[in-house]
């Protein structure tokens, strides 16, 4: 009863905050051109993959007059997949320069304008019989997704009041999940998952970028950017009033001014500055551990290779797409639910519990994969476990990481931090995508034990080391990280890690 009462009260409070100004529309518009793009492209490419490979074969014959070998088609298809990751990597590391030059709003508008280009290229690739255009479009789609994901997180984090900062930045994950779900839904054979529609299927995100281009100019730039980097208190207050309704926002502005005083003239540090600053080593290490464990904890494996995993588990081929659609829907629901509780439960608790749950479920999946031939019920238990895995992931690491990345770095280091995080995310995604087929071919279901160990390491790191950031200013959070100590005993060769919370 208490939980229900709290949920209703939270929903009412959140709605009041969001409709007092234009924040709700702002969150939706920024999300459509941000993480939504990345989520859509991650899943939408799965359904038309056999049709695209067939198209590569026929277009090669059309232009060059001979039939390409199987290895040639496979190589071109692998390049189509890899170029998206390469584009995402390059896009994510441009965020520092573009946000410094154009601001958060200007950079996001430019990114949406760029996204229209590959949409047109992808659409005309089919009538022109050009697989080369698919390669160009996929690279540009990746560039926009990598840049947009970073911009989305920074823009929302810098536009949110402290008391609901976590709740607002959780929507980065929500829109990522919505993108995945839409990609899975329109990829069904009954919608656009047919051979004659594959180019239209891959062009849908461009429509949402056009929507953002039409509406976002009516919204202000990030209040923190306007005050801390541009020094304009008046415009900062106007931006806050536009987004969050009437008020003088004295406390929020005082917090920004305190951060500006600490930073001084040293805005927009480089990635090298970030890595060299000894006061930020724990923040950098935390992002390295968390993002590394997300990629190697099994999430990417189940997302990208879900079809083969379900097939290995014994799920009938014609049912698999509907199972993955259900997983996509559960991700959306859990991210919304997480937004209601993040400010009550806290970032640290939700994250270590999420990683711990993922680790335990991976062990259980290993067991069910071994026992799948003993009962027709076992494969469906595996499906339930994978649903639970995504519930723990969506309610923990996926939801908390964007908020945490915004909160543990002050203004001068934030763009550089997102360059580092973006580079790390896309590099690990590329490495894992290359290694996983060999891993599952060699270890079979035992590969999930490896994922379980990775999740356990992350849970222990977060539980024992990561400070809580809920309800604290960015300067207070920085101080929490400086209070982390590594203490050793001269008589015992033991390292003791403690965090003053």
């Amino acid at each position: 009863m208490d939980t229900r009462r709290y949920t209703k009260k939270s929903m009412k409070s959140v709605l009041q905050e969001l409709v007092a100004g234009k924040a709700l529309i702002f969150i939706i518009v920024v999300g459509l051109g941000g993480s939504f793009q990345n989520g859509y492209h991650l899943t939408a490419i799965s359904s038309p993959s056999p049709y695209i490979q067939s198209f590569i074969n026929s277009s090669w014959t059309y232009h060059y007059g001979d039939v390409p070998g199987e290895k040639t088609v496979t190589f071109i298809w692998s390049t189509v997949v890899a170029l998206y990751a390469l584009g995402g990597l390059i896009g994510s590391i441009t965020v520092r320069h573009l946000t410094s030059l154009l601001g958060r709003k200007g950079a996001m508008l430019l990114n949406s304008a760029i996204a229209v280009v590959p949409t047109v290229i992808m659409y005309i690739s089919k009538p022109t019989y050009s697989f080369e255009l698919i390669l160009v479009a996929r690279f540009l789609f990746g560039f926009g997704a990598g840049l947009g994901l970073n911009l989305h997180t920074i823009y929302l984090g810098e536009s949110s009041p402290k008391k609901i900062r976590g709740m607002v930045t959780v929507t980065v994950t929500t829109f990522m999940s919505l993108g995945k779900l839409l990609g899975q839904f329109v990829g069904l054979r009954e919608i656009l998952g047919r051979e004659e529609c594959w180019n239209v299927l891959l062009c849908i995100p461009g429509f949402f970028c056009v929507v953002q281009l039409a509406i976002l100019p009516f919204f202000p730039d990030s209040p923190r950017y306007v005050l801390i980097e541009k020094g304009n208190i008046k415009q900062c207050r106007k931006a806050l009033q536009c987004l969050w309704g009437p008020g003088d926002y004295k406390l929020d502005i005082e917090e920004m001014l305190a951060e500006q005083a600490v930073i001084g003239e040293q805005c927009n540090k480089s990635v090298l500055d970030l890595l060299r600053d000894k006061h930020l080593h724990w923040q950098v290490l935390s992002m390295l551990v968390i993002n590394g464990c997300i990629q190697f904890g099994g999430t990417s494996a189940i997302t990208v290779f879900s079809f083969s995993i379900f097939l290995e588990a014994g799920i009938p081929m014609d049912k698999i797409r509907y199972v993955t659609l259900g997983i996509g829907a559960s991700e959306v629901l859990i991210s919304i639910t997480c937004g209601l509780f993040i400010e009550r439960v806290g970032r640290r608790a939700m994250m270590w519990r999420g990683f711990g749950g993922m680790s335990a479920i991976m062990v259980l999946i290993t067991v069910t994969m071994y026992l799948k031939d003993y009962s027709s019920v076992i494969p469906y238990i595996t499906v339930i476990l994978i649903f639970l895995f995504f519930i723990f992931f969506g309610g923990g690491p996926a939801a908390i990481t964007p908020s945490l990345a915004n909160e543990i770095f002050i203004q001068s280091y934030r763009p550089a931090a997102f360059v580092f995080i973006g580079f790390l995310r896309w590099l690990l995604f590329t490495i894992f995508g290359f290694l996983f087929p060999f891993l599952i071919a060699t270890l079979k279901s035992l590969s999930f034990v490896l994922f379980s160990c990775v999740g356990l390491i992350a849970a222990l790191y977060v539980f024992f080391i990561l400070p809580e950031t809920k309800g604290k200013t960015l300067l207070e959070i920085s101080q929490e990280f400086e209070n982390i100590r590594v203490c050793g005993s001269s008589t015992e060769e033991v390292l003791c890690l403690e965090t003053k919370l």
Side-chain angles (χ1 to χ4, degrees):
M1 182 66 72
D2 290 338
T3 304
R4 259 185 251 155
R5 192 182 297 118
Y6 173 78
T7 303
K8 289 180 181 178
K9 186 178 178 182
S10 296
M11 289 180 68
K12 185 177 178 182
S13 176
V14 170
L15 287 173
Q16 287 173 344
E17 291 276 358
L18 295 178
V19 300
K22 300 176 181 177
L24 183 58
I25 301 172
F26 172 74
I27 290 169
I28 293 171
V29 170
V30 173
L32 291 176
S35 60
F36 177 88
Q37 303 286 318
N38 189 25
Y40 185 92
H41 286 297
L42 281 176
T43 56
I45 193 65
S46 175
S47 176
S49 59
Y51 307 134
I52 296 175
Q53 292 179 62
S54 175
F55 174 78
I56 291 169
N57 194 318
S58 60
S59 64
W60 180 286
T61 304
Y62 178 81
H63 284 289
Y64 301 108
D66 61 332
V67 178
E70 185 178 341
K71 289 184 178 180
T72 302
V73 174
T74 303
F75 175 78
I76 296 172
W77 169 245
S78 300
T79 306
V80 168
V81 175
L83 280 175
Y84 179 78
L86 178 62
L89 177 65
I90 295 174
S92 65
I93 64 179
T94 62
V95 66
R96 174 176 168 264
H97 296 289
L98 288 177
T99 52
S100 300
L101 183 66
L102 303 172
R104 281 52 171 163
K105 174 182 168 181
M108 183 148 270
L109 287 170
L110 175 63
N111 190 48
S112 287
I114 291 173
V116 175
V117 177
T119 302
V120 174
I121 292 173
M122 182 62 78
Y123 183 78
I124 66 174
S125 64
K126 188 178 180 186
T128 57
Y129 283 94
S130 175
F131 69 85
E132 294 91 346
L133 291 180
I134 297 177
L135 297 172
V136 175
R138 281 288 289 175
F139 174 80
L140 292 175
F141 277 140
F143 180 90
L147 176 58
L149 181 58
N150 278 350
L151 287 172
H152 186 186
T153 311
I154 294 173
Y155 201 177
L156 277 191
E158 292 184 0
S159 301
S160 312
K162 179 176 64 177
K163 60 182 177 179
I164 59 169
R165 185 173 57 210
M167 196 175 296
V168 172
T169 49
V170 162
T171 62
V172 174
T173 303
T174 304
F175 277 94
M176 172 86 80
S177 301
L178 282 169
K180 288 180 182 179
L181 180 60
L182 183 63
Q184 291 165 340
F185 178 73
V186 298
L188 294 175
R189 186 177 297 276
E190 297 86 346
I191 313 297
L192 292 175
R194 304 185 302 276
E195 186 168 10
E196 64 271 20
C197 299
W198 63 262
N199 60 328
V200 177
L201 170 64
L202 297 177
C203 289
I204 286 177
F207 167 77
F208 296 101
C209 288
V210 172
V211 171
Q212 187 182 82
L213 285 169
I215 301 176
L216 190 59
F218 297 98
F219 286 91
D221 212 325
S222 148
R224 298 188 74 86
Y225 168 77
V226 170
L227 193 153
I228 297 176
E229 296 192 29
K230 295 299 180 182
N232 195 324
I233 297 177
K234 185 178 179 181
Q235 287 299 319
C236 173
R237 184 177 283 108
K238 281 185 177 180
L240 288 168
Q241 290 169 343
C242 173
L243 295 173
W244 305 104
D248 62 3
Y249 296 94
K250 183 179 177 181
L251 292 177
D252 295 276
I253 290 173
E254 285 177 355
E255 177 198 331
M256 294 181 208
L257 288 171
E259 189 176 340
Q260 186 188 46
V262 171
I263 294 170
E265 300 296 323
Q266 300 179 347
C267 286
N268 297 317
K269 297 281 191 174
S270 69
V271 176
L272 284 178
D273 293 330
L274 174 76
L275 298 177
R276 287 171 180 167
D277 193 328
K278 63 181 182 180
H279 300 293
L280 296 174
H281 285 173
W282 280 112
Q283 286 94 318
V284 171
L285 179 61
S286 296
M287 287 294 98
L288 181 63
V289 170
I290 290 168
N291 282 281
C293 289
I294 286 175
Q295 291 297 336
F296 289 92
T299 311
S300 297
I302 295 177
T303 300
V304 179
F305 301 98
S306 57
F307 188 90
S308 59
I309 290 171
F310 287 134
L311 205 60
E312 177 74 13
I315 303 298
M317 190 177 294
D318 59 335
K319 300 285 195 304
I320 290 177
R321 295 203 184 281
Y322 300 98
V323 173
T324 55
L325 192 63
I327 289 175
S330 68
E331 279 193 78
V332 174
L333 291 175
I334 194 63
S335 65
I336 294 171
T337 305
C338 178
L340 298 176
F341 288 95
I342 185 173
E343 299 299 348
R344 181 193 185 194
V345 179
R347 283 66 155 158
R348 179 170 165 268
M350 293 183 76
M351 184 167 281
W352 78 257
R353 290 170 185 170
F355 274 123
M358 290 162 61
S359 176
I361 288 169
M362 278 298 178
V363 174
L364 296 176
I365 289 176
T366 306
V367 175
T368 58
M369 295 284 273
Y370 262 110
L371 300 177
K372 66 178 181 178
D373 296 327
Y374 288 88
S375 171
S376 60
V377 177
I378 297 294
Y380 295 95
I381 295 175
T382 304
V383 172
I384 292 170
L385 288 172
I386 289 175
F387 268 85
L388 289 173
F389 177 86
F390 277 105
I391 287 172
F392 277 105
F393 174 66
I400 306 304
T401 301
S403 177
L404 194 66
N406 250 304
E407 293 174 334
I408 65 177
F409 296 101
I410 61 175
Q411 189 78 12
S412 57
Y413 281 103
R414 190 173 297 113
F418 273 87
V419 169
F420 173 74
I421 293 168
F423 177 82
L424 192 65
R425 181 192 301 120
W426 288 94
L427 179 64
L428 292 175
F429 177 75
T430 304
I431 292 172
F432 186 81
F434 177 77
L435 292 178
F436 181 71
F438 300 100
L439 187 67
I440 201 167
T442 305
L443 298 178
K444 299 291 183 182
S445 57
L446 281 177
S447 57
F448 292 98
V449 176
L450 179 62
F451 300 148
S452 177
C453 293
V454 171
L456 181 60
I457 290 169
L460 292 173
Y461 179 90
V462 172
F463 183 82
F464 287 107
I465 296 177
L466 193 71
E468 179 56 72
T469 62
K470 179 185 71 172
K472 297 173 183 175
T473 68
L474 301 190
L475 294 179
E476 289 170 343
I477 293 167
S478 295
Q479 187 60 49
E480 290 282 356
F481 274 96
E482 289 199 37
N483 289 341
I484 298 174
R485 295 289 180 266
V486 178
C487 51
S489 171
S490 58
T491 58
E492 300 176 6
E493 294 182 10
V494 178
L495 284 179
C496 170
L497 297 173
E498 69 173 11
T499 306
K500 293 183 181 178
L501 296 175

